[in-house]
């Protein structure tokens, strides 16, 4: 095959790679809620991506002479479950667990774990609020139960008679429940449940977690839960909970809701028992006065049932929703009895002493904690919440359940003229920026300059920043919204915002100037408006009226697809598991293909032998790096003759920018160096003079650069694009190796991490490997960062020797930052 | 002020489109009714007056074009905005040159549809001066 042909294929491959990456970024952006799409769009998009990937893999095999056939089965392995997701067939497949702990269950499969368990796992893992640990016996285990007891036909027959009206709720219920209770839990399920029980001696709360519960349909109270169950009784209790799926009440509810034909399935949540001294419920809206800006906390001594079932006299506290949650009104009830856990198992009723009867059963501090947690839950779930809580003997408060609060019709009629109400508030910013995650957020502005401010960030404030820097990620869950002046809806921070459902608007040019610290503002991404003040009517409209798009089937499906498409897990091309077999996502495959294609070009001796016609330039530079350049088009001034090219003849924007950094005064150290360093330098010179040895090659176009540099023992890779349209732009930087011991090299990796983080790169380090990525900045910002990378390449040559201890790191960060007094890096320290 | 509100009918067989459009348009000050079935939408057009109709062109089991023709017959004044898939965009534009205010391709973002609707509303208000 002739060189020009391979060359064309390589260019086509680069282009397809870029297109595929943009399609992935585009899908991620669609998951932010600003776009309206349907299922068909997802089907089409996935087919398009698959076709492109197939083309790319074929292209790579063409370039490499068919040396990557393993990629075809890899594509099948990655796309098969994606297609199964589209057909809705994955959740109950063999791939799914029978039992999963709250900390390990998949968060995007409520049909597997049931609404309650799914919600509580989100609360525990995303919001980090205290939820008793435990595990869920999934709906797949429920199917196993029916299967191995051969109950499916029996149930179907009874339910058919029931839905045809030949059997009443009560008769049907009795027949089904009898069958379930008389069956046995299959051995494979029993085994995994027992494994979960081994770790604990405590008693358990065994709770129903039906699918639909906690979601759009509320099965609240229809299914059974059992408290204080000893481990030895857990499997028997499990059956009782399963049986409650067919209680007369549940059947009658299903009839009312028109769910006759639908399959029911039950997951069961088992949690460590909280022996509560006090328990209760929070309503994040006061149902008696929905328009007031208050929430209500109910509390009573003992286990939660008294409040939920309304069985005893209960303390009622009306608390302001806005911080610092002032207590507006208290009604203390006279409480005579409480229900508590009995010593061995079960529950018992006990009397309350005379002096305790008329005191409030919860402290003011605890009320405020509860109020703040309740609003965090409401902000995340985007609906008024009804939260069950309990306080144990150590004073710790636990969240036992949270679900959508059913509103009276009066509340639903709130804010009918939301448009007219909004018009009364001053508009600070309108029609600017890109929506990274849709929604409404209100709070005080908090501007972050350095990561020392991270700790200070107040719960529920609005994060205003210049960049969507990845180091801001830890505060995302605490933010009511995010507004940034620069940044991309496809970047890391945007992904985090979507994960935590925090409304985010990026690319609002003057955000940091217009939105002053402490100002109370309301952001509405749907109209891309920032109002001054708290637009109460809009917030209420959103809570009560608008669709929670995150909960719609289309969005859930897109999120599930993205989980198999977007994450990058293949980070280190030198690692032994950088193989097609290790690819976990579409992104991984793209990464692998790109690396292999470039490597093919980089194997210069072989390459030149294969393609005698290829023209390789040599860069003439003050810095002694013998850089070879392969120009794929527009990278070098066409007027240049011969084999050598001067820096000023480079037309490739990214290479020029990088080289400005490499050649910047003082970067390529000419200071007297120590013996070690001389050795290093000599090895460097050796590498750079011997023709084509090593990897000093740049593959360029006018807007693209792929650069491999081996300087002594340092190995640098930069892949960058600088297009006029920021959406095409990226920098990928990899740095590894060095002549010293691993501890010094790791130290250097940490130093690079700190510096690059300061320039808003997403940085991953592993030992002495540093991988930094940044996306979608405008050309001039890309230029600045490439220049910094150029300087770093020179700068880090010295570091192995000079970084003697971890204490030296901050000083070096300062030294480097000192060269860039205007960069934000100067202010950012620490990881 | 409320009596001046313009009324919009949204028809799309995908409930998600209706669910998302309703609040987005209500926030702009319109009264919004949504339908996922064309015959119900047609009944609504007969019994009530709409200023703007937003409809999908390709829906399962029904023809968006026929709905439009019928709706226009009943209410010739109404401004129509057609939602269509990318693939059908060109044919749609061709066959609907007359009588359709504008087209919008799926998937679209809220800003795009809000803009088109605002333009239609401005035209209606202008013509009623």
């Amino acid at each position: 095959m002739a060189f020009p042909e391979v060359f064309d294929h390589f260019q086509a491959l680069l282009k397809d790679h870029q297109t595929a990456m943009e399609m992935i970024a585009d899908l991620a952006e669609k998951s932010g809620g600003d776009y309206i799409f349907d299922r068909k769009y997802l089907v089409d998009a996935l087919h398009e991506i698959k076709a492109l990937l197939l083309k790319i893999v074929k292209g790579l095999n063409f370039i490499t002479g068919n040396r990557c056939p393993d990629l075809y089965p890899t594509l099948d392995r990655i796309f098969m479950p994606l297609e199964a997701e589209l057909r809705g067939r994955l959740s109950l497949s063999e791939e799914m667990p029978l039992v999963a702990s709250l900390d390990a269950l998949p968060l995007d499969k409520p049909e597997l774990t049931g609404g309650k368990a799914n919600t509580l796992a989100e609360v525990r893992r995303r919001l980090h609020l205290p939820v008793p640990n435990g595990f869920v016996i999934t709906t797949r285990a429920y199917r196993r139960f029916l299967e191995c007891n051969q109950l499916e036909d029996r149930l179907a027959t009874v339910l058919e008679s029931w839905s045809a009206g030949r059997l009443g709720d009560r008769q049907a219920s009795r027949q089904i429940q009898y069958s379930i209770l008389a069956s046995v839990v299959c051995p494979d399920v029993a085994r995994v449940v027992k494994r979960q029980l081994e770790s604990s001696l405590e008693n358990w709360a065994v709770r129903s977690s039906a699918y639909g519960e906690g979601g759009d349909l509320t099965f609240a109270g229809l299914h059974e839960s059992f408290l204080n169950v000893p481990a030895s009784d857990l499997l028997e209790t499990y059956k009782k909970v399963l049986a409650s799926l067919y209680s007369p009440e549940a059947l009658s509810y299903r009839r009312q809701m028109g769910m006759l034909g639908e399959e029911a399935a039950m997951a069961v949540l088992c949690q460590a028992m909280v022996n509560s001294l006090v328990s209760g419920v929070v309503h994040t809206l006061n149902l008696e006065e929905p328009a007031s800006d208050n929430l209500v906390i109910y509390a009573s001594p003992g286990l939660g049932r008294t409040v939920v079932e309304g069985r005893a006299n209960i303390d009622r506290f009306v608390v302001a929703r806005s911080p610092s949650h002032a207590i507006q009104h208290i009604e203390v009830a006279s409480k005579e009895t409480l229900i508590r856990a009995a010593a061995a198992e079960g529950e018992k009723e006990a009397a309350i002493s005379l002096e305790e009867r008329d005191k409030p059963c919860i402290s003011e501090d605890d009320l405020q904690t509860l109020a703040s947690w309740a609003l965090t839950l409401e902000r995340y779930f985007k609906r008024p919440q009804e939260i069950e809580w309990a306080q144990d003997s150590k004073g710790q408060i636990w969240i036992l359940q949270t679900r959508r609060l059913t509103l009276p019709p009066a509340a639903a009629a709130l804010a009918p003229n939301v448009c007219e109400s909004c018009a009364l508030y001053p508009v600070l910013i309108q029609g600017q920026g890109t929506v990274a995650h849709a929604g409404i957020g209100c709070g005080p502005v908090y501007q972050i300059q350095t990561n020392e401010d991270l700790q200070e960030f107040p719960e529920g404030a609005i994060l205003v920043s210049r960049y969507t820097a990845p180091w801001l990620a830890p505060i995302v869950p605490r933010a009511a919204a995010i507004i940034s002046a620069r940044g991309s809806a496809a970047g890391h921070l945007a992904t985090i915002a979507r994960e935590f459902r925090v409304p985010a608007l990026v690319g609002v040019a003057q955000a940091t100037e217009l939105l002053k610290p402490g100002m109370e503002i309301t952001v509405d991404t749907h109209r891309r408006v920032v109002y001054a003040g708290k637009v109460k009517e809009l917030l209420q409209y959103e809570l009560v009226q608008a669709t929670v798009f995150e909960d719609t089937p289309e969005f859930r499906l897109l999120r599930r697809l993205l989980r198999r498409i977007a994450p990058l897990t293949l980070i280190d091309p030198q690692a032994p598991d950088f193989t097609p077999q290790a690819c976990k996502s579409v992104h991984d495959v793209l990464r692998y293909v790109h690396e292999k294609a470039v490597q093919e070009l980089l194997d210069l001796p072989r390459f030149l032998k294969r393609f005698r016609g290829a023209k390789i330039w040599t860069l003439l530079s003050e810095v002694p790096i013998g850089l070879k350049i392969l120009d794929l088009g527009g990278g070098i001034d066409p007027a240049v003759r011969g084999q050598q090219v001067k820096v000023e003849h480079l037309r490739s924007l990214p290479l020029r920018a990088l080289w400005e950094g490499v050649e910047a005064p003082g970067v390529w150290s000419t200071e007297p160096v120590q013996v070690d360093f001389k050795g290093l330098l000599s090895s460097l010179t050796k590498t750079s003079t011997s023709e084509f040895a090593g990897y000093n090659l740049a593959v360029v176009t006018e807007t693209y650069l792929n650069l491999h540099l081996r300087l002594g023992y340092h190995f640098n890779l930069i892949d960058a694009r600088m297009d006029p349209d920021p959406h095409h732009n990226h920098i990928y930087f990899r740095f590894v190796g060095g002549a010293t011991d691993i501890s010094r090299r790791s130290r250097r990796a940490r130093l690079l991490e700190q510096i690059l983080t300061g320039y808003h790169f997403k940085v991953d380090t592993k030992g002495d490997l540093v991988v930094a990525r940044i996306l979608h900045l405008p050309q001039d910002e890309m230029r600045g960062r490439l220049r910094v990378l150029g300087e770093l390449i020179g700068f880090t040559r010295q570091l192995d020797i000079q970084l003697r201890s971890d204490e030296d790191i901050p000083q070096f960060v300062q030294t480097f930052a000192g060269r860039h007094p205007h960069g934000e890096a100067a202010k950012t320290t620490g990881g | 002020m409320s009596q001046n509100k313009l009324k919009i009918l949204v028809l799309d067989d995908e409930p998600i489109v209706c669910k998302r459009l309703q609040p987005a348009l209500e926030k702009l000050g319109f009264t919004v009714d949504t339908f996922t079935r064309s015959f119900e939408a047609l009944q609504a057009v007969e019994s009530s007056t709409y200023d703007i109709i937003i409809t999908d062109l390709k829906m399962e089991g029904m023809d968006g074009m026929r709905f439009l023709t019928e709706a226009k017959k009943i209410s010739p004044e109404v401004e129509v905005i057609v939602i269509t898939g990318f693939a059908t965009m060109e044919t749609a534009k061709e066959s609907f040159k007359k009588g359709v205010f504008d087209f919008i391709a799926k998937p679209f973002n809220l800003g795009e549809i809000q803009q088109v609707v605002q333009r239609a509303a401005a035209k209606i208000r202008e013509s009623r001066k």
Side-chain angles (χ1 to χ4, degrees):
Chain A
M1 189 179 15
F3 175 69
E5 208 179 332
V6 173
F7 200 69
D8 287 349
H9 273 270
F10 185 76
Q11 272 187 307
L13 187 93
L14 275 187
K15 207 164 150 253
D16 289 342
H17 178 271
Q18 179 75 14
T19 310
M21 288 305 295
E22 283 169 22
M23 283 166 81
I24 293 178
D26 196 50
L27 265 187
E29 230 182 296
K30 295 281 185 299
S31 77
D34 192 40
Y35 281 80
I36 294 179
F37 58 85
D38 48 25
R39 257 185 83 81
K40 189 174 175 304
Y41 163 72
L42 296 179
V43 174
D44 292 349
L46 194 73
H47 285 162
E48 222 176 305
I49 289 180
K50 189 182 175 186
L52 192 56
L53 262 283
L54 200 62
K55 181 167 172 241
I56 287 172
V57 166
K58 274 185 190 156
L60 177 69
N61 273 308
F62 188 80
I63 291 171
T64 61
N66 230 6
R67 276 188 290 113
C68 304
D70 287 2
L71 279 169
Y72 293 107
T74 299
L75 282 187
D76 283 344
R77 179 169 53 75
I78 288 171
F79 278 95
M80 258 156 56
L82 279 167
E83 282 159 357
E85 285 281 16
L86 281 181
R87 292 194 303 268
R89 296 233 179 97
L90 197 70
S91 55
L92 297 171
S93 74
E94 295 296 309
E95 198 185 310
M96 293 294 138
L98 295 164
V99 169
S101 74
L102 277 182
D103 289 336
L105 61 82
L107 287 176
D108 52 2
K109 297 220 155 31
E111 67 278 23
L112 178 75
T113 56
K116 189 183 288 170
N118 186 73
T119 301
L120 287 175
E122 281 185 287
V123 173
R124 202 176 140 91
R125 283 154 58 184
R126 293 222 168 112
L127 304 178
H128 300 291
L129 294 180
V131 168
N133 203 1
F135 59 92
V136 58
I137 311 175
T138 65
T139 50
R140 212 196 121 214
Y142 169 78
R143 309 253 176 231
R144 282 285 297 139
F145 180 84
L146 297 189
E147 231 171 71
C148 71
N149 290 290
Q150 291 161 340
L151 286 177
E152 289 142 314
D153 289 346
R154 166 101 186 111
L155 258 64
T157 315
V158 177
L159 286 173
E160 208 184 290
S161 303
W162 167 73
S163 59
R166 292 192 298 274
L167 274 180
D169 295 346
R170 228 152 258 290
Q171 287 165 296
S173 166
R174 200 166 49 233
Q175 293 187 16
I176 294 176
Q177 291 196 323
Y178 178 82
S179 305
I180 290 178
L181 293 172
S183 298
V184 290
V185 178
C186 5
D188 52 348
V189 177
R191 216 168 23 245
V192 278
V193 169
K194 280 185 182 136
R195 210 171 301 144
Q196 293 283 343
L197 296 174
E198 272 167 14
S199 57
S200 159
L201 295 170
E202 294 161 54
N203 283 357
W204 296 84
V206 182
R207 314 168 68 195
S208 61
S209 182
Y211 180 45
E213 196 171 7
D216 266 0
L217 290 169
T218 164
F219 288 90
L222 288 177
H223 303 133
E224 292 242 39
S225 287
F226 296 86
L227 299 180
N228 212 26
V229 177
S232 54
D233 289 353
L234 195 125
L235 286 177
E236 277 305 304
T237 312
Y238 169 63
K239 289 194 313 195
K240 289 187 201 164
V241 179
L242 290 191
S244 75
L245 185 56
Y246 298 98
S247 71
E249 296 77 18
L251 285 178
S252 138
Y253 182 77
R254 288 164 62 83
R255 193 189 289 282
Q256 281 167 31
M257 290 296 154
M259 299 164 66
L260 291 172
E262 277 174 57
E263 253 183 298
M266 175 77 89
V268 175
L269 171 65
C270 306
Q271 284 177 290
M273 184 68 197
V274 176
N275 285 317
S276 45
L277 292 185
V278 186
S279 53
V281 168
V282 184
H283 289 170
T284 60
L285 273 190
N286 183 353
L287 293 179
E288 290 171 20
E289 294 172 68
S292 74
D293 204 19
N294 295 324
L295 54 84
V296 183
I297 299 175
Y298 299 93
S300 80
L303 296 179
R305 285 182 192 275
T306 37
V307 176
V308 179
E309 296 174 7
R311 289 217 305 228
N313 290 332
I314 297 154
D315 294 346
R316 180 175 181 271
F317 307 87
V318 179
V319 181
R321 281 168 57 94
S322 44
S324 53
H325 310 303
I327 292 162
Q328 309 289 317
H329 180 71
I330 302 182
E331 291 163 34
V332 178
S334 178
K335 304 165 282 284
E336 288 167 19
T337 59
L338 76 162
I339 292 180
R340 66 156 65 109
E345 60 183 281
E347 303 157 22
K348 68 172 187 188
E349 199 161 323
I352 298 176
S353 69
L354 275 175
E355 61 269 30
E356 295 298 321
R357 271 180 196 178
D358 298 318
K359 286 186 188 162
C361 58
I362 176 169
S363 77
E364 210 164 296
D365 282 355
D366 290 338
L367 284 172
Q368 269 148 10
T369 303
L370 271 173
S372 131
W373 289 358
L375 292 170
T376 300
L377 291 167
E378 183 189 85
R379 200 166 67 222
Y380 181 81
F381 291 106
K382 315 258 156 129
R383 275 290 176 275
Q385 294 290 299
E386 176 171 40
I387 300 145
E388 286 174 33
W389 57 273
Q391 187 170 34
D392 66 19
S393 54
K394 292 181 190 125
Q396 169 72 52
I397 301 177
W398 298 91
I399 305 288
L400 301 181
Q401 159 119 304
T402 184
R403 59 173 165 246
R404 186 176 292 193
L405 177 63
T406 312
L407 299 174
L414 285 176
N417 289 316
V418 63
C419 173
E420 288 154 39
S421 309
C422 289
L424 303 174
Y425 293 82
V427 170
L428 298 173
I429 296 174
Q430 182 157 30
Q432 282 192 48
T434 308
V435 180
H437 190 72
I440 311 269
C442 171
V445 170
Y446 194 90
Q447 288 205 13
I448 292 227
Q449 310 289 350
T450 84
N451 60 0
E452 274 152 22
D453 301 344
L454 292 185
Q455 293 305 318
E456 308 296 318
F457 189 86
E459 177 82 32
I462 294 191
L463 167 61
V464 175
S465 70
R466 291 192 52 206
Y467 292 94
T468 49
W471 53 264
L472 292 167
I475 55 170
V476 169
R478 306 212 298 273
I482 298 169
I483 304 175
S484 80
R486 283 279 165 87
S488 151
H492 178 68
L493 201 73
T495 308
I496 302 285
R498 290 194 277 270
E499 190 82 7
F500 291 97
R501 301 173 156 208
V502 176
L505 204 51
V506 302
V508 180
Q510 286 186 296
T512 50
E513 289 85 42
L514 292 173
L515 307 174
K516 305 261 188 279
M519 245 179 178
E520 187 172 56
I521 58 169
T522 305
V523 192
D524 177 0
T525 69
H526 300 131
R527 296 187 60 196
R528 292 185 297 155
V529 176
V530 180
Y531 297 98
K534 179 175 181 175
V535 186
K536 216 177 106 200
E537 297 84 351
L538 183 60
L539 293 166
Q540 253 170 1
Y541 176 88
E542 193 68 13
L543 268 183
V544 174
Q545 223 84 21
T547 317
V548 181
F549 73 84
E550 291 99 328
D551 294 339
T552 60
E554 289 82 1
F555 276 88
R556 282 185 184 279
L557 177 60
L558 174 53
R559 297 277 166 106
R560 288 203 296 269
L561 296 177
L562 275 172
R563 247 166 256 269
R564 293 171 190 270
I565 294 175
L568 179 64
T569 65
L570 278 195
I571 289 186
D572 179 7
Q574 255 67 50
D577 64 348
F578 194 86
T579 59
Q581 288 73 26
C583 290
K584 292 194 182 75
S585 66
V586 175
H587 195 166
D588 281 345
V589 175
L590 284 167
R591 176 86 193 77
Y592 180 85
V593 169
H594 186 261
E595 188 73 29
K596 287 290 154 193
V598 172
Q599 264 176 26
E600 198 65 22
L601 287 195
L602 287 177
D603 191 354
L604 267 184
R606 213 168 62 87
F607 183 86
L608 289 174
K609 220 160 108 191
R610 237 176 115 190
F611 310 111
R612 297 195 180 278
K615 174 145 191 181
I616 305 288
W617 299 88
T618 302
L619 182 67
L620 288 171
S621 166
E622 289 165 25
V623 170
I625 303 175
L627 183 71
K628 303 292 175 190
I629 302 170
L630 174 60
D631 180 17
L632 297 187
I636 284 173
D637 189 338
V640 181
R641 297 283 165 262
Q643 299 287 327
Q644 297 187 323
V645 56
K646 290 181 186 163
V647 177
E648 58 264 36
H649 294 134
L650 292 177
R651 290 284 173 272
S652 172
L653 297 172
L655 181 56
R656 259 196 101 117
L658 186 88
W659 222 256
E660 279 170 28
V662 171
E663 287 193 336
V667 164
W668 203 264
S669 178
T670 48
E671 288 163 28
V673 284
Q674 292 152 36
V675 185
D676 280 7
F677 186 50
K678 272 186 184 154
L680 192 68
L681 200 65
S682 76
S683 77
L684 160 80
T685 331
K686 218 185 284 167
T687 316
S688 59
T689 49
S690 67
E691 199 181 10
F692 301 145
Y695 281 87
N696 295 333
L697 177 74
V699 177
V700 299
T701 71
E702 190 187 351
T703 56
Y704 176 75
L705 164 69
N706 184 285
L707 172 75
H708 284 237
L709 270 188
R710 175 159 282 182
L711 301 176
Y713 296 92
H714 292 175
F715 185 78
N716 294 274
L717 183 151
I718 292 173
D719 193 87
R721 188 175 295 273
M722 271 175 69
D723 204 79
D725 177 356
H727 280 93
H728 298 305
N729 292 345
H730 71 267
I731 301 175
Y732 173 91
F733 172 66
R734 193 172 79 226
F735 185 91
V736 75
T740 53
D741 60 283
I742 182 72
S743 66
R744 281 198 189 193
R745 294 196 321 250
S746 311
R747 203 172 286 139
R748 186 195 52 215
R750 286 203 301 284
L751 172 74
L752 281 179
E753 179 177 6
Q754 287 189 18
I755 292 176
L756 291 170
T757 301
Y759 286 96
H760 319 104
F761 281 88
K762 163 97 172 72
V763 187
D764 292 300
T765 58
K766 202 171 107 194
D768 62 345
L769 168 76
V770 180
V771 172
R773 282 170 284 162
I774 198 160
L775 279 179
H776 300 187
L777 287 178
Q779 256 181 348
D780 59 326
E781 298 244 355
M782 286 291 174
R783 182 176 301 121
R785 280 166 180 77
L786 281 165
R787 201 178 296 145
V788 166
L789 288 182
E791 291 187 28
L792 274 179
I793 288 171
F795 188 65
T796 45
R797 288 189 321 146
Q798 317 160 40
L799 291 178
D800 291 340
I801 318 297
Q802 294 178 12
L803 270 182
R804 287 185 186 83
S805 73
D806 286 356
E807 284 74 56
D808 293 338
I809 293 181
Q811 189 216 320
F812 271 87
V813 173
Q814 284 308 318
T815 310
F816 190 80
R819 302 178 49 85
H820 300 267
H822 305 299
E824 282 191 18
K827 298 179 219 143
T828 308
T829 58
Chain B
M1 193 163 163
S2 294
Q3 63 271 24
N4 289 337
K5 274 187 169 186
L6 294 182
K7 252 180 109 176
I8 300 182
L9 179 147
V10 178
L11 167 65
D12 196 309
D13 63 340
E14 294 276 355
I16 177 92
V17 177
C18 298
K19 271 201 247 172
R20 300 285 325 274
L21 275 183
Q22 176 145 16
L25 296 172
E26 277 181 4
K27 269 198 240 169
L28 293 180
F30 299 101
T31 305
V32 183
D33 292 332
T34 66
F35 299 89
T36 53
R37 295 156 195 253
S38 63
F39 70 90
E40 283 169 12
L42 210 54
Q43 279 175 350
V45 174
E46 277 166 358
S47 60
S48 173
T49 313
Y50 290 95
D51 303 289
I52 299 173
I53 289 177
I54 303 175
T55 177
D56 193 357
L57 202 52
K58 281 214 160 165
M59 290 173 283
E60 230 159 89
M62 84 173 103
D63 189 354
M65 292 201 193
R66 237 187 66 201
F67 166 73
L68 272 188
T69 322
E70 292 298 317
K72 272 276 187 188
K73 257 189 231 164
I74 299 165
S75 171
E77 297 284 280
V78 71
E79 293 296 346
V80 176
I81 297 164
V82 168
I83 304 174
T84 173
F86 256 123
T88 54
M89 190 75 167
E90 286 315 308
T91 22
K93 275 191 175 167
E94 200 48 45
S95 51
F96 271 96
K97 265 184 180 155
K98 277 178 202 162
V100 170
F101 180 78
D102 207 347
F103 297 85
I104 193 153
K106 264 191 200 174
F108 51 88
N109 72 8
L110 293 177
E112 293 173 61
I113 187 102
Q114 284 170 338
Q115 221 184 5
V116 174
V117 171
Q118 294 280 39
R119 277 196 289 114
K123 183 182 168 195
I124 293 167
R125 292 206 176 96
E126 187 62 31
S127 70
R128 289 183 191 170
K129 264 185 186 170

